[in-house]
């Protein structure tokens, strides 16, 4: 007698349309969960979108699937069989090809090698270059790319390199091709070519997992969508059953109806304290990531950048700070033309930049709190090369007090502090420079709830004292409640600007999703 | 793009051009420069360096370094000399085997224990040198002349020194491996972008393992030739060989960061440095100037510096193209 449970199993097995099913996937890094109980299923010949905010777990999920990471728990069934791989090589051999987010190719080697490495054509046991060159050319022809496949990859532009990556993945006659943000470096024409290839693959019965932050693209080419948040799968739906607002709110985890109450420590600010325009930027552009961004920040104002991942927020901040140089556009700072060539220009003008990635770009973990705080100030504090210890100690102790940094003293190593206190040390580093504008990229990411409130309150206090703040945050409530003005970026274009009173969740999310700013009336309706 | 090509052409053929110019200079200036005796003695002597440089070339192409090759050659020469009474082939096998042992340990340290190549091979450089001194009891070990072991280093085959034949065969094999096997292409891929290579599904660790193993074996072979040529195992020889090998590889246009390299250009690099030495000796012989060995080192050092600076200039041009978007 079959038990009820067996019936379920039989029903599952009969679903022959399923190519891949991942269930209950857990993955932890140093005890911190990156995936908890995530699930994902792809049908045969289906183009399936996988979306989520930064840190939602998409990339981890993909790397678990391709054997780059080993999962801690969960089940994977691929092509009707349990799937256990321990390396990308094995995954490839079983029919899963991946195009990773950063183009993962070898720049010094030829296009042919980049396409054929790992499955080389041979004759008499040696490589058959002639056949490999022909194969590479034939694969690229599918994308309308004509290039000398014998030349090293680094001689070609990013779009061609991306096409080479895709050609490589497809060349493995895969059953499943995973594309992690394949369009981020392509122009419209190239994207159209890529979509044709995806449709072609679909007709051949190949499944495609498509990771992208450009919502329009999903509707153009995908059949279904799976949305992840905080390491979990929150929703799977057919593309024609979910609208863009639905996608955005599922990604951000906000019910559209929800509104009242403060989720952050930004209490209402006194707007009288806002002064004159300090920084203004017009039509900044550098590449596809930043196409046309205009915004301004006034003294004593918190200006917020909202937008999905890949909207160009961090990239815009890098332009302002002189890390990258814009291709077009103008900036003024304090009423003068501002054209920074390098970060020290921006620092000299009175700017500070707390980057998104504290660990790799900010703190020096083995140095003390005092040393970390003084790094940027060192040149100013030293008299003919010798550091003025007394002045240094005074400043450090003042900031430890003012910012409420919990540490045993100025000599404690920064690595021993919590995330929130590390962030405060970084804030202290820039504040010690006495800046007029502070750029904060994801100031509360990876910081526990309590410390988050402290940092937010601190930002508010600093603005009240006249500091101009440009705050980038992926947390909607942080931008909406914290910023005096919200600029919404979408696919490299600043599409909307809201004053504090107009910046409702509906309005901001709708601008993030659709691009066109809804009229105030629409938002109010 | 044409400018780019010209630069990359210069990068790959510059060393050959320099070599030709140097030979022409020597031919025009010195009477016996292209004489049979000079040619064979230059080749006989430099074939040892050529073998060590070949192994180094593969290691550097993966982005690593092998500092132990000089000591390994010394160890190989001692072991070969000790084993030579058992027969020429036994001596050969023992010397190469000793080198492979050092290579194996290097390979395990780098790929399994993930120790930085610089540190791992530096430690093995000291260890191999100490082992060689212990085995040799701190003096040179005379080889057996009855077993025919000395003919490996001293005799000719078809009118050409046997060490030179060995080097030629090694370079042909190396060239085929690099250009016509997947392992060879993998060597360049690992050096160019190790992460990408792993994500592409290539066995990055196995490739790195093989290059250190092979480098040890080639250094051991160089040690066999050393012992055979000079009639004794030399525990204190080999000092600075690793630096000569690195210099030859770099002069040959192989990037120290890995990912770009050529077997042929490495051979040209060895010959260039070897012949430069030869030319300086001839110049001393003419009596116009008298350069001591120290001055020769200074000149070689300056020469190397010029090449590396040129290379840095050329490759920074190349990297513009990488970021061209």
């Amino acid at each position: 007698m079959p038990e009820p449970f067996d019936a379920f199993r039989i029903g599952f097995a009969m679903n022959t349309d399923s190519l891949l099913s991942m269930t209950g996937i857990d993955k932890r890094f140093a005890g911190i969960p990156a995936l908890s109980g995530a699930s994902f299923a792809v049908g045969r010949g289906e183009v399936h979108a996988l979306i989520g905010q930064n840190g939602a777990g998409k990339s981890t999920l993909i790397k678990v699937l391709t054997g780059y990471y080993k999962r801690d728990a969960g089940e994977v069934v691929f092509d009707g069989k349990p799937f256990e791989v321990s390396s990308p090589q094995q995954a490839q051999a079983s029919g899963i090809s991946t195009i990773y987010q950063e183009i993962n190719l070898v720049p010094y080697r030829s296009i042919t090698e980049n396409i054929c490495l790992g499955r080389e054509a041979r004759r008499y046991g040696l490589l058959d270059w002639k056949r490999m060159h022909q194969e590479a050319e034939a694969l690229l022809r599918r994308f309308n790319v004509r290039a000398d496949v014998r030349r090293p990859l680094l001689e070609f532009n990013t779009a061609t390199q991306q096409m080479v990556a895709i050609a490589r993945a497809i060349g493995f006659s895969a059953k499943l091709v995973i594309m992690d943000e394949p369009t981020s470096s392509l122009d419209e024409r190239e994207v159209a070519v890529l979509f044709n290839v995806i449709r072609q693959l679909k007709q051949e019965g190949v499944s495609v997992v498509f990771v992208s932050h450009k919502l329009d693209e999903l509707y153009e080419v995908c059949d279904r969508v799976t949305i992840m948040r905080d390491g979990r799968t929150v929703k799977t739906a057919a593309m024609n059953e979910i609208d863009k607002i639905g996608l955005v709110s599922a990604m951000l985890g906000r019910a559209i109806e929800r509104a009242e109450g403060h989720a952050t420590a930004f209490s209402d600010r006194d707007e009288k304290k806002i002064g004159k325009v300090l920084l203004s930027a017009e039509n900044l552009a550098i590449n596809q990531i930043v196409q046309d961004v205009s915004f301004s920040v006034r003294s004593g104002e918190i200006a917020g950048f909202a937008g999905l991942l890949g909207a160009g927020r961090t990239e815009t901040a890098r332009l302002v700070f002189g890390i990258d140089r814009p291709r077009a556009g103008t900036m003024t700072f304090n009423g003068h033309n501002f054209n920074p060539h390098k970060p020290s220009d921006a620092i000299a003008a009175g700017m500070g930049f707390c980057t998104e990635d504290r660990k790799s770009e900010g703190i020096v973990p083995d140095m003390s709190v005092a040393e970390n705080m003084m790094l940027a100030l060192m040149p100013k504090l030293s008299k003919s090369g010798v550091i003025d210890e007394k002045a240094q100690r005074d400043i450090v102790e003042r900031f430890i007090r003012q910012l409420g940094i919990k540490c045993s003293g100025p000599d404690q190593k920064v690595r021993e502090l919590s995330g929130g206190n590390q962030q405060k040390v970084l804030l202290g580093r820039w504040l010690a420079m006495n800046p007029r504008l502070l750029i904060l990229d994801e100031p509360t990411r990876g910081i526990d709830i309590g410390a988050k409130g402290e940092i937010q309150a601190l930002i508010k206090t600093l603005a009240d004292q006249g500091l101009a703040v440009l705050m980038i945050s992926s947390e909607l409530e942080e931008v909406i409640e914290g910023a005096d003005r919200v600029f919404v970026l979408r696919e490299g274009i600043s599409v909307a600007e809201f004053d504090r009173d107009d910046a409702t969740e509906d309005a901001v999310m709708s601008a993030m999703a659709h691009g066109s700013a809804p009229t105030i009336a629409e938002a109010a309706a | 793009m044409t400018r780019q090509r010209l630069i990359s052409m210069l990068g790959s053929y510059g060393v050959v051009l320099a070599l030709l110019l140097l030979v022409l200079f020597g031919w025009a200036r010195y009477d016996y420069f292209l004489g049979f005796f000079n040619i064979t003695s230059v080749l006989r002597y430099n074939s040892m360096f050529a073998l060590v440089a070949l192994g180094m070339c593969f290691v550097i192409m993966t982005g690593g370094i092998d500092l132990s090759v000089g000591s390994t050659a010394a160890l190989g020469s001692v072991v070969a000399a000790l084993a030579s009474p058992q027969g020429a082939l036994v001596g050969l096998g023992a010397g190469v085997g000793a080198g492979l042992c050092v290579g194996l340990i290097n390979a395990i340290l780098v790929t399994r224990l993930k120790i930085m190549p610089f540190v791992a091979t530096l430690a093995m450089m000291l260890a191999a040198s100490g082992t060689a001194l212990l085995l040799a009891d701190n003096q040179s070990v005379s080889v057996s002349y009855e077993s025919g072991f000395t003919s490996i280093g001293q005799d000719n085959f078809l009118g050409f020194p046997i060490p030179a034949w060995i080097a030629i065969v090694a370079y042909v094999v190396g060239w085929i491996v690099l250009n016509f096997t997947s392992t060879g292409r993998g060597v360049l891929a690992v050096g160019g972008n190790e992460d990408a290579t792993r994500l592409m599904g290539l066995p990055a660790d196995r490739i790195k393992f093989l290059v250190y193993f092979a480098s040890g074996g080639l250094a051991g072979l160089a040690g066999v030739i050393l012992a055979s040529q000079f009639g004794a195992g030399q525990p204190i020889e080999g000092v600075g060989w690793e630096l000569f090998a690195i210099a030859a590889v770099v002069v040959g246009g192989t990037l120290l960061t890995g990912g770009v390299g050529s077997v042929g250009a490495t051979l040209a690099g060895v010959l260039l440095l070897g012949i430069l030495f030869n030319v300086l000796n001839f110049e001393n012989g003419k009596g116009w100037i008298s350069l001591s060995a120290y001055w020769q080192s200074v000149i070689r050092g300056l020469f190397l510096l010029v090449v590396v600076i040129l290379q840095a200039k050329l490759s920074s041009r190349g990297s513009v193209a990488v970021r061209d978007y």
Side-chain angles (χ1 to χ4, degrees), chain B residues 45-259:
Chain B
Y45 186 60
N46 282 292
S47 56
M48 295 183 290
F49 300 127
L51 290 172
V52 169
L54 180 63
M56 186 70 81
C57 168
F58 273 83
V59 172
I60 288 180
M61 280 190 290
T62 66
I65 194 106
D66 186 352
L67 296 179
S68 67
V69 288
S71 306
T72 304
L75 177 65
S77 78
V78 169
V79 172
L82 289 172
S84 63
Q86 313 300 319
L89 285 177
V90 177
L92 175 75
V96 174
L100 286 174
C101 286
V102 178
L104 182 70
I105 299 174
N106 279 332
I108 290 170
L109 291 175
V110 171
T111 61
R112 295 271 185 279
L113 302 178
K114 309 285 175 203
I115 294 172
M116 274 173 54
F118 190 96
V119 178
T121 60
L122 181 66
M124 286 311 293
M125 169 181 165
L126 299 172
S129 173
T131 311
L133 286 166
L134 280 174
L135 287 177
D137 207 10
N138 207 7
Q139 54 198 347
S140 51
V141 181
S142 166
V143 304
S144 149
Y145 285 84
E146 291 78 41
S147 65
F149 178 73
T150 48
S151 49
I152 298 173
Q154 298 174 3
D155 286 2
N156 287 356
F157 177 69
L158 299 179
F160 215 57
I162 288 177
W165 282 112
I166 294 175
I168 288 168
V169 170
Y171 270 80
V172 169
V173 172
W175 182 75
I176 290 174
V177 167
L178 181 63
N179 291 295
F180 297 99
T181 67
S182 48
T183 305
R185 302 325 281 176
V187 165
L188 290 168
V190 167
N193 187 343
E194 189 168 336
D195 269 346
T197 309
R198 279 179 212 281
L199 288 172
M200 280 178 169
L202 295 181
D205 278 338
R206 203 182 73 200
I207 289 165
K208 282 162 71 178
F209 192 98
L210 283 175
V211 297
Y212 287 96
F213 190 54
S215 177
L218 285 166
L221 184 57
V224 171
I225 293 172
L226 175 72
S228 170
Q229 218 169 82
F230 294 94
Q234 314 272 357
I236 52 164
E237 253 308 320
V239 176
W241 282 25
E242 63 284 338
L243 301 179
F244 180 91
I246 294 167
V249 169
V250 169
V251 167
T254 299
L255 288 186
L256 272 179
T257 46

Side-chain angles (χ1 to χ4, degrees), chain A residues 63 66 68 88-90 92 98 100 102-110 113-115 117-120 122 125-129 148 151 154-158 161 168 172 286-287 318 324, chain B residues 1 4-5 8 176-186 188-193 195-203 255 257-261 315 318-325:
Chain A
K63 285 185 170 167
T66 56
Y68 196 78
Q89 192 177 18
Q90 284 177 14
Q92 214 164 57
T98 314
Y100 292 94
E102 326 80 50
I103 299 175
N104 260 294
L105 296 171
V106 188
Y108 287 127
R109 307 317 320 160
S110 68
E113 280 174 73
N114 273 293
I115 290 180
L117 267 177
R119 50 173 187 94
E120 299 91 345
R122 280 165 213 251
L126 298 179
L127 300 182
D128 186 346
W129 282 107
D148 183 352
R151 305 298 311 158
L154 59 83
E155 291 182 7
F156 299 92
N157 62 23
T158 317
Q161 295 186 10
R168 172 181 171 81
F172 275 90
I286 178 166
N287 50 22
R318 288 169 62 93
D324 300 320
Chain B
M1 202 64 91
Q4 183 84 42
R5 276 189 198 193
S8 74
I176 290 174
V177 167
L178 181 63
N179 291 295
F180 297 99
T181 67
S182 48
T183 305
R185 302 325 281 176
L188 290 168
V190 167
N193 187 343
D195 269 346
T197 309
R198 279 179 212 281
L199 288 172
M200 280 178 169
L202 295 181
L255 288 186
T257 46
V260 177
S315 72
S319 69
V320 174
V322 181
R323 311 190 63 198
D324 182 21
Y325 53 84

Side-chain angles (χ1 to χ4, degrees), chain A residues 160-206:
Chain A
T160 307
Q161 295 186 10
Q162 183 71 59
M163 290 300 185
V164 168
I166 294 166
R168 172 181 171 81
I170 290 169
F172 275 90
S173 54
K175 293 180 188 133
L176 176 68
V177 177
I178 301 168
M179 301 185 179
D180 196 352
E181 290 198 61
T183 59
S184 53
S185 51
L186 304 184
D187 67 24
E188 263 170 59
R189 191 183 52 83
E190 291 156 344
V191 168
V193 171
L194 174 66
F195 285 178
N196 278 334
V197 172
I198 291 179
R199 291 186 192 108
Q200 213 177 320
L201 287 173
K202 186 177 150 76
Q203 267 177 7
E204 292 164 12
V206 176

Side-chain angles (χ1 to χ4, degrees), chain B residues 256-270:
Chain B
L256 272 179
T257 46
V260 177
S262 149
V263 165
T266 297
L267 182 59
V270 172

